[in-house]
């Protein structure tokens, strides 16, 4: 769904995915990662890539979204997910807020690492739905 936006922005989406199940609303899950990946695409000014990597272990599903964008300061990282805080000129901050709320609603955790000029990495860990 995001490839047209990425193509228009000169951004590649590189993904390494595998099948896994997590508990929760599939539409909310999709919306969460649409928001996160869209933010990554929009953070890249002059071409680059957004990498989406997934790892599954015995109890968790970890999804890492890394962009080659502008990066964030420590202060900006601390405010990530706040309503109406955005680094984009026309942004509302609501996409990040929704993503964070969905992750928390799904009993997941998230972390952000970023360096100005070097991009941002968001790591989301969700409980693996174990088959019975």
């Amino acid at each position: 769904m995001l490839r047209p936006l990425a193509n228009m922005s000169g951004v590649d989406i590189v993904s390494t995915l595998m099948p896994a199940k997590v508990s929760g609303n599939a539409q909310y899950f999709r919306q969460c990662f649409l928001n996160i990946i869209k933010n990554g695409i929009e953070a890249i000014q002059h071409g680059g890539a957004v990498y989406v990597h997934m790892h599954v272990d015995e109890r968790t599903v970890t999804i890492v979204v890394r962009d080659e964008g502008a990066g964030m300061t420590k202060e900006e990282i601390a405010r990530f997910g706040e309503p109406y805080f955005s680094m984009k000129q026309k942004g509302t901050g609501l996409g990040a807020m929704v993503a964070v709320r969905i992750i928390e609603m799904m009993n997941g955790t998230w972390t952000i690492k970023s360096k100005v000029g070097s991009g941002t990495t968001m790591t989301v860990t969700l409980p693996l739905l174990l088959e019975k």
Side-chain angles (χ1 to χ4, degrees):
M1 290 176 68
L2 289 171
R3 290 212 191 269
L5 174 65
N7 291 340
M8 288 187 332
S9 303
V11 174
D12 293 321
I13 298 176
V14 181
S15 60
T16 308
L17 305 175
M18 61 186 64
K21 290 185 179 183
V22 295
S23 180
N25 182 301
Q27 186 174 341
Y28 290 169
F29 179 85
R30 273 191 296 278
Q31 186 64 55
C32 173
F33 284 96
L34 282 172
N35 293 352
I36 293 169
I37 296 167
K38 183 175 180 272
N39 282 347
I41 292 168
E42 292 174 347
I44 299 172
Q45 299 296 316
H46 305 290
V50 174
Y51 301 89
V52 183
H53 173 75
M54 183 175 158
H55 174 76
V56 179
D57 67 22
E58 296 161 0
R59 296 191 181 272
T60 61
V61 175
T62 303
I63 302 166
V64 180
V65 179
R66 180 174 61 87
D67 68 60
E68 295 176 334
M72 295 188 286
T73 65
K74 288 180 182 177
E75 293 79 17
E76 291 165 338
I77 291 170
R79 295 195 63 197
F80 184 86
E82 282 184 18
Y84 308 111
F85 172 74
S86 178
M87 296 174 49
K88 296 181 269 188
Q89 190 171 0
K90 293 184 179 182
T92 63
L94 296 178
M97 182 195 76
V98 166
V100 166
R101 297 301 181 268
I102 291 170
I103 294 164
E104 292 170 352
M105 185 175 68
M106 294 178 69
N107 297 315
T109 60
W110 59 276
T111 59
I112 293 182
K113 292 183 181 176
S114 188
K115 183 177 177 186
V116 174
S118 298
T120 300
T121 301
M122 183 162 186
T123 303
V124 177
T125 303
L126 298 166
L128 178 66
L129 181 61
L130 301 172
E131 300 290 335
K132 294 184 180 188

